[in-house]
Amino acid sequence: MFRSSKKLTIFPFLTSLIFVSASASAEYSESAFSTYEHSAWGAIGFTEGGLSLGGDYEYAADRTFGVGGLTRFYQSDKDQGAAGIFLFGGYVRPHFHRRAWDLFLTAGLAVINIDDEAEDEKSTTLGPVFGVGALYQISKVMAVGVESMGTYVWFDKNFRGKVMDDVMLRVRFSF
């Protein structure tokens, strides 16, 4: 119940001022990625089993792609029928920079340890991981965003195919 039209025009002005100031302080993703050769990534999310955690190390081989290692942990939940998964492996990650945004793809190969309590089966196997994500560069050394990754098994007949599909919040620290 505003009686003055001045109050109605102030809200959009303040909102746009906050957005413009946040955008103005953001760094260019490409310059931040090419300035630092190393980066550590953290990941947190939730799957049907519960909490999922991850970490990556990436070496910037070029300003357009990096290579590195990753690890992921997915909790199991017997009641939900979710298997516990721990994996580690290597990857290649192309980056597509657009101002403060960094769109990236992840393609790698991982050793996957699966513990399915519901079926009372365990396996250690090998398979590919594929991911797609986006980060927003908020400072010279830090970016935040989201990634969706699929984990697949090749060589175990009990778990062959996609064993995990996740969406995780990501943060990258460059050094």
Side-chain angles (χ1 to χ4, degrees):
M1 307 292 173
F2 295 104
R3 295 187 180 163
S4 171
S5 64
K6 291 180 184 178
K7 289 182 180 178
L8 290 175
T9 58
I10 280 185
F11 181 71
F13 173 74
L14 289 175
T15 304
S16 62
L17 183 64
I18 291 168
F19 179 73
V20 168
S21 65
S23 297
S25 67
E27 296 290 326
Y28 281 99
S29 175
E30 185 174 15
S31 64
F33 190 77
S34 62
T35 302
Y36 303 99
E37 289 184 342
H38 308 277
S39 58
W41 298 56
I44 188 168
F46 293 94
T47 60
E48 57 272 355
L51 183 68
S52 54
L53 299 171
D56 301 6
Y57 165 78
E58 183 173 355
Y59 173 74
D62 186 55
R63 67 179 182 84
T64 59
F65 77 95
V67 295
L70 60 86
T71 185
R72 298 286 185 276
F73 167 75
Y74 304 102
Q75 275 187 323
S76 65
D77 187 340
K78 192 173 185 177
D79 296 333
Q80 295 292 327
I85 297 174
F86 177 77
L87 65 92
F88 63 93
Y91 64 85
V92 173
R93 185 176 281 154
H95 293 267
F96 306 94
H97 304 281
R98 181 68 178 154
R99 297 186 185 232
W101 290 99
D102 178 3
L103 305 173
F104 61 91
L105 302 172
T106 303
L109 190 63
V111 174
I112 306 163
N113 184 1
I114 304 169
D115 184 5
D116 191 351
E117 294 175 359
E119 299 293 326
D120 197 30
E121 293 184 29
K122 294 182 181 186
S123 178
T124 300
T125 185
L126 186 69
V129 293
F130 298 106
V132 61
L135 294 173
Y136 187 77
Q137 195 75 33
I138 60 174
S139 74
K140 288 183 181 182
V141 297
M142 185 175 157
V144 295
V146 66
E147 179 184 30
S148 174
M149 185 183 299
T151 303
Y152 301 83
V153 169
W154 276 340
F155 300 114
D156 190 306
K157 64 180 179 180
N158 294 330
F159 296 105
R160 189 169 291 144
K162 184 183 278 190
V163 292
M164 180 57 64
D165 200 11
D166 69 35
V167 176
M168 299 177 103
L169 296 174
R170 302 297 307 260
V171 61
R172 178 180 70 200
F173 295 99
S174 302
F175 55 96

